[in-house]
């Protein structure tokens, strides 16, 4: 079963703009992860944020976590064509990663 | 080094046929996971191995699905008597530890059942 939902389902922006996508989840978590999936490279881990962290940065990525609202956001700054992909959040329940349905991001040149 | 590989990359099966999907994890990785991803959806957990032991198979959708990892390295996901609803991408991931947090994914096998 899916853990929660990402929104928006799809997002199309101009190259250079920032992209924000959100994820909601249902259960208590120890951490939350964001992944990117495109046809060229498959699923790639982007960043992990622990439940006691509120914000984390990695290059052009910024992730926030609000455990009171059971939600997380991923911000990609200064988007590039290569950022075109689907983005998923995932949380761990025992050995399982439980995934959202993803946001499809398209960067227009 | 080499990542996780899966074969075949694409498989077309007639309804009722059996299929076998192979996963070669990163050498030395203890854990191996299988996921099913329907079009436009996120992956859904199928099963988990730690070495050769299948510790969790709660995500397998029916008894037509069977997975094995007999020597603790290569794994095979077998689907018997395929149905149209089995059409999906099957993803394999491996991890150097037992943790689900550090998974490296293969490119997937796209199965189409006609």
């Amino acid at each position: 079963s899916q853990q929660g939902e990402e929104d928006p389902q799809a997002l199309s922006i101009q190259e250079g703009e920032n992209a924000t996508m959100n994820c909601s989840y249902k259960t208590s978590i120890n951490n939350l992860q964001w992944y990117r999936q495109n046809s060229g490279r498959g699923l790639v881990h982007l960043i992990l944020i622990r439940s006691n962290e509120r914000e984390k940065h990695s290059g052009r990525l910024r992730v926030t976590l609000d455990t009171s609202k059971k939600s997380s956001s991923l911000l990609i700054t200064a988007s590039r064509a290569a950022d075109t992909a689907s983005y998923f959040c995932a949380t761990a329940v025992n050995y399982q990663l439980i995934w959202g349905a993803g946001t499809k991001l398209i960067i227009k040149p | 080094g080499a990542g996780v590989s899966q074969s075949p990359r694409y498989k077309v099966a007639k309804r009722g046929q059996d299929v076998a999907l192979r996963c070669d994890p990163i050498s030395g990785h203890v854990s191996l996971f299988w996921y099913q991803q329907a079009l436009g959806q996120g992956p859904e957990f199928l099963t988990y191995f730690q070495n050769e032991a299948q510790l969790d198979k709660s995500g397998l959708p029916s008894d037509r699905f069977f997975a094995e990892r007999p020597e603790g390295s290569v794994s095979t996901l077998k689907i018997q008597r395929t149905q149209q609803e089995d059409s999906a991408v099957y993803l394999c991931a491996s991890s150097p530890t037992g943790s689900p947090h550090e998974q490296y994914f293969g490119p997937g096998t796209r199965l189409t059942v006609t």
Side-chain angles (χ1 to χ4, degrees):
Chain A
S1 61
Q2 303 282 294
Q3 167 67 292
E5 296 181 359
E6 279 96 336
D7 80 273
Q9 290 186 334
L11 179 61
S12 181
I13 61 173
Q14 293 294 137
E15 193 168 16
E17 293 181 339
N18 296 341
T20 299
M21 53 208 92
N22 304 296
C23 160
S24 61
Y25 57 91
K26 296 175 183 172
T27 62
S28 297
I29 61 170
N30 292 322
N31 59 64
L32 182 143
Q33 305 176 59
W34 283 91
Y35 284 78
R36 180 181 66 220
Q37 185 178 40
N38 59 34
S39 57
R41 293 194 60 197
L43 263 170
V44 175
H45 179 264
L46 295 177
I47 195 166
L48 180 150
I49 185 166
R50 302 189 189 284
S51 59
N52 60 354
E53 297 176 307
R54 291 295 168 259
E55 187 170 308
K56 195 162 182 179
H57 297 251
S58 176
R60 295 183 296 113
L61 305 181
R62 187 185 80 152
V63 168
T64 63
L65 179 64
D66 186 335
T67 53
S68 68
K69 295 180 180 177
K70 289 188 165 61
S71 68
S72 175
S73 69
L74 171 67
L75 167 68
I76 304 174
T77 60
S79 62
R80 304 169 181 169
D83 296 329
T84 293
S86 291
Y87 291 81
F88 297 91
C89 67
T91 57
V93 177
N94 297 322
Y95 299 114
Q96 301 183 20
L97 276 183
I98 310 296
W99 302 76
T103 293
K104 188 167 185 176
L105 175 65
I106 296 172
I107 309 299
K108 297 179 287 187
Chain B
V4 178
S5 62
Q6 293 185 245
S7 60
R9 291 292 310 276
Y10 303 91
K11 176 70 178 177
V12 178
K14 286 187 170 26
R15 192 172 56 186
Q17 282 185 333
D18 298 349
V19 298
L21 312 180
R22 178 186 168 109
C23 172
D24 284 79
I26 294 172
S27 178
H29 276 198
V30 169
S31 300
L32 187 144
F33 305 81
W34 283 99
Y35 296 88
Q36 180 190 59
Q37 186 175 24
L39 189 64
Q41 297 295 315
E44 294 216 11
F45 171 85
L46 293 178
T47 188
Y48 160 66
F49 290 86
Q50 191 167 96
N51 298 307
E52 68 278 5
Q54 189 174 22
L55 298 187
D56 188 342
K57 56 181 181 179
S58 62
L60 296 176
S62 78
D63 58 8
R64 296 185 295 103
F65 286 70
F66 172 76
E68 59 183 6
R69 194 187 186 199
E71 296 178 358
S73 55
V74 171
S75 177
T76 304
L77 176 67
K78 298 179 179 177
I79 309 173
Q80 297 176 323
R81 304 180 304 281
T82 52
Q83 304 294 314
Q84 280 194 315
E85 61 263 28
D86 300 335
S87 295
V89 175
Y90 290 85
L91 296 166
C92 174
S94 69
S95 168
T97 69
S99 166
H101 309 313
E102 190 185 353
Q103 295 188 32
Y104 298 82
F105 282 81
T109 294
R110 181 178 296 278
L111 173 65
T112 303
V113 181
T114 60

